[in-house]
Each structure stands twice: as structure tokens, then as C-alpha cells.
Amino acid sequence: MAARQKIFTRLIFAAALFCNHAADGQTSPAIHPSATEIAFVSDTQQPMWEEELFLRSDHNTKATALIFSDILRQKPTALYLLGDIVALGYKRSKWVTVDSFLSKCHREGIRTFGLLGNHDVMGEPKKGTRNFQKRFPDHVYTGYLSIIDSIAIVLLNSNFSKLSSADQRRQQAWYDSTLRNLDSAPRIKGIIVACHHAPYSNSRIVGSSQPVQERFVPAFMNTGKALLFITGHSHNFEYFKIREKTFLVIGGGGGLHQPLDTSQRRRPDLAATYKPEFHYLKLDIFPDRLRLTSRSLNKDFRGFTDSFSFDIGLQPVSNHK
């Protein structure tokens, strides 16, 4: 697995370097030269009866189906599914709807990338991981890299209890070195880090992940081009800023909506008045900025609205060779 991860990373960087030295108008096909829009969705799992004892359901599976249909209509260049894709990853029956959606993405030319969430490895972790790997062959268990245009997306496994000590050491070394390499890569304007568990969340059900804060946040904060940290797990839309770095929680793919802490102890949320039940994220890549738009399902389940949007500036590409 470690050898495969190293080879995959080296291929990505080689493609980036080729793109940097190519003639005007020429790019490496591995970096998706025509990319302008990508999308992120998280927590599309079917509600479990145990969860419905504590949280209110609201046609959740229908909401997920509508989100999948809307993504297909939007036709992004790439789609990132940030974990809890299904309720129980080891059960083939839970994958039926997702399999149909992924097949349609493939036919439409939408590249799909996935991250393991806690539900994907719940019950029988090895079987769940095998089922997941069949759907996302680019996936590497500890973490892997995707580059779209001038944006690098670093995808990490935050199910630390399912990682061996050796896996955790390998993951940390790869993550730290990858951020350093991307930060100095001339063609990379911005870095996005993604995992399933949110380092910061006001959810009263799952809260903030201390392990993610300790293992992934420091290198992200200390990397100049690292601009955006995206997660799910909390079934909400949450938007935090820490030292000018953006943290988003986008767990609105269909899981049961979770209550938020509204006490004085809560972390300041820049989207305090925007709390849709079901939503996903569009990200448009412009030469000088990223435009992030939360696309929410209307309360009557009749269509979607681009309800919350903001920009993040990008660094100019270096001409240094």
C-alpha cells in the first residue's frame, strides 16, 4: 500500500511539472485541463433505525436521490464524496443506489473520488473497505492526492481507530511531505485538505474531533497555499475561520439532521443563520479565486437553490522554472 501511495503521488507531481513546462495551451491529461467546477458531498448514508430513535427523519433517502440527480445535471468535472457514503459499508444491499449514481457519473465523464467515513467501515471494517475500494479504485487507505487544474485536493482517512500504528506513522509522514511539496510546486495555486471527521463542529451529536485537530490541522495551518479544510460527519453546514484559514462542514447529503450547540461555548460560525437540512458544495475554479457555493435542497423538495456563496483568493502561478 505504501509503495502504491508513493507511486501515485509521484505521478501526480510529474504531471504537474509537465504542465508547468508545456507550451501554451498544452496540459497533461492527468490534471484535467478543462476543469472549472468540482463538487463535494458528504454523509449520503441511509438513516439507521437506531439513529431514528434520537433524531427526526425527513424523507432522507429521497433527499439523497435528489442531490445525486442535481449533481448529474450540474455535471462537475470531479466529485468528492467525503465519507459515510452508505450506512453500512460491508452490506452490498446498501450500495445499490450509490452504484447506480456512480455508473451515471462515469457515463457523464464525472470523475469520482471517495473517503472512508465511520459508517463505511462500521461492523465489518475489512469487508466494508473492500466494498469501498471496488467503487473508488484511486483510493489509498491512509490518504491520497488529486489535482484539478491548479488546485490540489489532499484526501485523508480520519478513522484513526481502524489504522494500525504503522499506518498512522505512514499517513503522517506522507501528509506532511505532500503539503511541503505542493506548497513549493509552481503550478499549484491552492490546496484543499479533506477528511470525514470535522476538526471543528458545534454538533451536539458528534462535536469536534480532537485527533484531527492534533494530526491534520497543524500542517494545514502552517502551509501557505493550504486554504480550505472540508469535512462532513456533522450533519450540518458550518463555516469557521481560524487565522484566515477556512474550515467547512458539509454533512448534508442525506443523513439525519443533527442539533447544534447554541450555548456560549459554541465556536463562532460564519454561517450561523444558514442551516439547510440537505445540501452539497460546488466549487468553481477561477484564475484568481475559488468560488464556493452551498447548493441546498428547497424545503418543499422541489429544486435546489445556490443559497450561500463566498470567494477565497488564490496565489498567482510562479513563472520560476
Side-chain angles (χ1 to χ4, degrees):
M1 186 67 72
R4 179 186 169 194
Q5 188 179 51
K6 288 179 180 178
I7 292 170
F8 185 78
T9 302
R10 286 171 182 169
L11 287 173
I12 288 289
F13 279 118
L17 290 173
F18 174 82
C19 181
N20 187 45
H21 293 288
D24 290 345
Q26 295 180 333
T27 54
S28 166
I31 304 196
H32 326 299
S34 62
T36 57
E37 182 181 299
I38 58 179
F40 296 82
V41 66
S42 191
D43 298 272
T44 57
Q45 78 270 30
Q46 311 90 333
M48 299 172 66
W49 69 266
E50 298 92 336
E51 297 172 315
E52 292 182 321
L53 295 175
F54 304 98
L55 299 172
R56 182 180 63 86
S57 62
D58 183 16
H59 305 91
N60 296 71
T61 55
K62 178 180 179 180
T64 298
L66 290 170
I67 286 173
F68 285 165
S69 295
D70 195 65
I71 290 171
L72 289 168
R73 281 192 294 271
Q74 296 291 313
K75 202 174 179 179
T77 294
L79 170 66
Y80 297 84
L81 296 95
L82 304 186
D84 283 4
I85 296 172
V86 295
L88 292 169
Y90 72 89
K91 287 191 173 184
R92 287 185 296 177
S93 61
K94 299 295 185 183
W95 286 95
V96 173
T97 299
V98 172
D99 284 343
S100 174
F101 171 62
L102 293 176
S103 294
K104 292 174 183 176
C105 286
H106 178 72
R107 289 198 296 270
E108 292 294 329
I110 302 170
R111 295 198 64 190
T112 54
F113 301 88
L115 279 176
L116 287 165
N118 53 293
H119 277 272
D120 304 311
V121 295
M122 188 177 288
E124 297 185 31
K126 291 183 179 179
K127 189 173 181 180
T129 301
R130 287 197 300 271
N131 284 340
F132 184 93
Q133 196 70 41
K134 290 177 184 177
R135 277 80 181 179
F136 302 99
D138 290 330
H139 171 261
V140 177
Y141 189 59
T142 49
Y144 64 117
L145 175 65
S146 169
I147 295 179
I148 304 290
D149 191 71
S150 60
I151 305 302
I153 300 96
V154 180
L155 301 147
L156 298 163
N157 186 354
S158 55
N159 292 289
F160 300 117
S161 65
K162 302 297 189 293
L163 296 172
S164 68
S165 296
D167 283 337
Q168 292 181 38
R169 290 192 297 271
R170 190 179 303 115
Q171 179 187 65
Q172 195 68 53
W174 177 83
Y175 175 56
D176 292 343
S177 65
T178 296
L179 287 191
R180 286 195 301 269
N181 291 335
L182 290 169
D183 206 36
S184 62
R187 292 294 298 180
I188 298 301
K189 293 182 180 181
I191 302 167
I192 298 170
V193 174
C195 65
H196 179 65
H197 299 80
Y200 308 109
S201 172
N202 290 323
S203 168
R204 293 174 60 190
I205 303 298
V206 298
S208 302
S209 170
Q210 188 71 28
V212 173
Q213 290 180 24
E214 294 172 354
R215 301 180 193 205
F216 296 160
V217 170
F220 171 79
M221 298 299 293
N222 293 324
T223 301
K225 292 181 184 177
L227 306 171
L228 175 63
F229 201 118
I230 309 180
T231 60
H233 197 46
S234 166
H235 299 175
N236 288 284
F237 183 90
E238 299 178 89
Y239 173 22
F240 307 110
K241 270 290 187 77
I242 301 174
R243 286 168 32 203
E244 300 306 311
K245 302 274 190 175
T246 300
F247 293 81
L248 284 185
V249 179
I250 60 161
L256 298 175
H257 199 55
Q258 297 174 356
L260 292 167
D261 184 357
T262 58
S263 72
Q264 294 298 316
R265 298 187 304 273
R266 72 186 186 280
R267 181 171 291 276
D269 183 350
L270 297 180
T273 60
Y274 175 66
K275 298 300 168 198
E277 189 169 8
F278 304 112
H279 51 93
Y280 71 96
L281 185 72
K282 294 193 307 177
L283 191 152
D284 291 292
I285 302 171
F286 294 98
D288 61 342
R289 69 194 187 283
L290 301 177
R291 171 154 296 168
L292 292 82
T293 302
S294 178
R295 190 160 169 80
S296 62
L297 178 62
N298 297 333
K299 290 184 178 180
D300 61 5
F301 281 61
R302 296 180 180 178
F304 286 76
T305 303
D306 289 346
S307 305
F308 190 95
S309 184
F310 63 97
D311 290 357
I312 298 177
L314 293 174
Q315 295 187 14
V317 169
S318 171
N319 292 320
H320 177 71
K321 297 185 179 181

